[in-house]
Amino acid sequence: MKKIKVLTILIIILAIICAGIYYYKIYNKKTNELTLYGNVEIRQVDLSFQVAGRILKMLKEEGDSVKGGELVAIMDDRDYKADFDKNSAEVERTKAISENAASQYERQAPLCTDDTVSKQDCDTLLNNKKETLAAYNSAVASKQDSKNKLDYTKVYAPEEGIITTRIQEPGANVTVGQPVYTLSKSKPVWIRAYIPETQLGNIKYGMQAKVLTDSINPATGKNREYNGWVGYISPVAEFTPKTVQTEDLRTDLVYRIRVYVNDIDPYLRQGMPTTIKINLDGNNKNE
């Protein structure tokens, strides 16, 4: 009976020690983990024509994925094509005149050295050669300019991304630089968050972080989780944005940071709220 009591006491003591170790680890983990709240940010770009005219085709809808260099919009190019054809013909015309002037000068050049042909005539031939060559070069430049404008009647996606806004429709007349689409780039993707001044000395560039969204992954039954790293820390303090914290904390000074996400997927969307957890004992990303 006595042995049973001793054994029971030992078990209770062991259980207390294990519980103490467990709570000690949990407490340390919590105190060494910084939790922040932020929103997903993705770079966006407005796509537009570099010339004015009437839109002929809009090839993408909102939500469509595009690759870098993919054609997304076409303008009516008849006027620009006619201008290009006109300048192409002018190049051929001035080229023939320039070559003829050069041939005349080359034939007469030997006669200029022995004064068989007067100096005035020789100067006239030389100036005519230079003038016609300049006219040819000007025509080539005009042709290239019209070629560029003809190319500008098409809009291509600069990078991989998703069309978030379709601003114009076929038949609309647009000016130079007037947006027709808004493209949300696939990467980089980062989380904009704010860190209190008291924690500023505990983080550094490259520090690893975990990013969690409010969405539950059906495959795991847990919040979607992503790996990231601290890629930007603002050197300037600012007041906490009203949309981020409660009224009691709005006057606190904070520093804006960016946590860049490594494993980007289609479930991270512009403006999505997230939770960031940074292990303050974590190693630098590059270490």
Side-chain angles (χ1 to χ4, degrees):
M1 193 72 181
K2 205 173 198 177
K3 289 182 180 180
I4 294 175
K5 287 183 178 180
V6 172
L7 183 60
T8 302
I9 293 172
L10 289 175
I11 293 174
I12 293 173
I13 293 173
L14 183 61
I16 293 172
I17 293 174
C18 291
I21 293 173
Y22 174 77
Y23 284 109
Y24 176 77
K25 289 184 177 180
I26 293 296
Y27 174 78
N28 274 350
K29 182 178 180 181
K30 288 183 178 178
T31 56
N32 291 332
E33 185 177 73
L34 176 63
T35 301
L36 303 171
Y37 302 95
N39 298 86
V40 175
E41 286 194 349
I42 303 172
R43 286 198 176 103
Q44 294 184 324
V45 57
D46 289 332
L47 307 184
S48 62
F49 291 99
Q50 292 180 260
V51 290
R54 184 176 65 86
I55 298 176
L56 188 64
K57 293 181 180 179
M58 297 284 288
L59 303 177
K60 296 296 178 180
E61 297 288 346
E62 293 176 348
D64 286 350
S65 297
V66 296
K67 298 179 181 179
E70 185 175 353
L71 181 64
V72 296
I74 302 173
M75 178 180 286
D76 186 349
D77 64 355
R78 288 176 295 180
D79 292 342
Y80 294 102
K81 191 174 186 307
D83 190 51
F84 172 71
D85 292 340
K86 176 183 176 182
N87 286 313
S88 297
E90 184 65 12
V91 167
E92 295 302 320
R93 188 184 73 84
T94 54
K95 179 181 180 182
I97 294 174
S98 177
E99 290 177 347
N100 182 57
S103 297
Q104 288 182 2
Y105 175 76
E106 295 300 329
R107 286 195 300 268
Q108 299 295 329
L111 302 178
C112 292
T113 57
D114 58 4
D115 295 332
T116 303
V117 177
S118 67
K119 186 176 185 308
Q120 182 178 354
D121 290 342
C122 290
D123 290 342
T124 300
L125 289 170
L126 179 60
N127 291 336
N128 189 46
K129 174 187 175 183
K130 292 179 179 179
E131 184 179 352
T132 55
L133 179 60
Y136 168 71
N137 291 334
S138 177
V140 170
S142 296
K143 177 184 176 181
Q144 183 60 51
D145 180 63
S146 61
K147 176 65 167 59
N148 292 341
K149 290 179 179 178
L150 182 60
D151 292 340
Y152 294 157
T153 59
K154 295 180 176 63
V155 177
Y156 299 89
E159 293 183 31
E160 179 184 340
I162 296 175
I163 298 295
T164 56
T165 309
R166 175 169 161 153
I167 303 170
Q168 300 292 343
E169 292 297 327
N173 288 303
V174 293
T175 58
V176 177
Q178 184 175 350
V180 296
Y181 287 114
T182 297
L183 174 70
S184 180
K185 296 184 178 181
S186 297
K187 54 186 179 182
V189 175
W190 68 83
I191 313 301
R192 171 180 48 82
Y194 296 86
I195 186 170
E197 185 274 334
T198 53
Q199 293 288 354
L200 185 62
N202 291 329
I203 64 169
K204 59 182 178 179
Y205 286 96
M207 185 172 281
Q208 295 180 357
K210 288 190 179 298
V211 177
L212 296 96
T213 67
D214 295 338
S215 303
I216 303 298
N217 187 342
T220 62
K222 298 179 181 179
N223 295 79
R224 292 189 181 275
E225 184 176 306
Y226 303 86
N227 295 315
W229 54 282
V230 178
Y232 172 78
I233 304 173
S234 174
V236 180
E238 55 188 285
F239 290 110
T240 310
K242 293 182 180 180
T243 56
V244 176
Q245 295 289 356
T246 63
E247 292 183 2
D248 295 336
L249 298 178
R250 286 179 185 171
T251 58
D252 288 354
L253 287 176
V254 292
Y255 291 80
R256 180 165 51 91
I257 69 169
R258 285 180 181 175
V259 174
Y260 287 88
V261 178
N262 296 326
D263 41 348
I264 302 169
D265 65 20
Y267 299 106
L268 283 174
R269 294 185 173 87
Q270 179 80 22
M272 178 181 286
T274 61
T275 301
I276 303 168
K277 294 185 179 294
I278 302 176
N279 183 356
L280 300 181
D281 294 331
N283 295 323
N284 187 285
K285 178 191 173 197
N286 298 320
E287 291 177 351

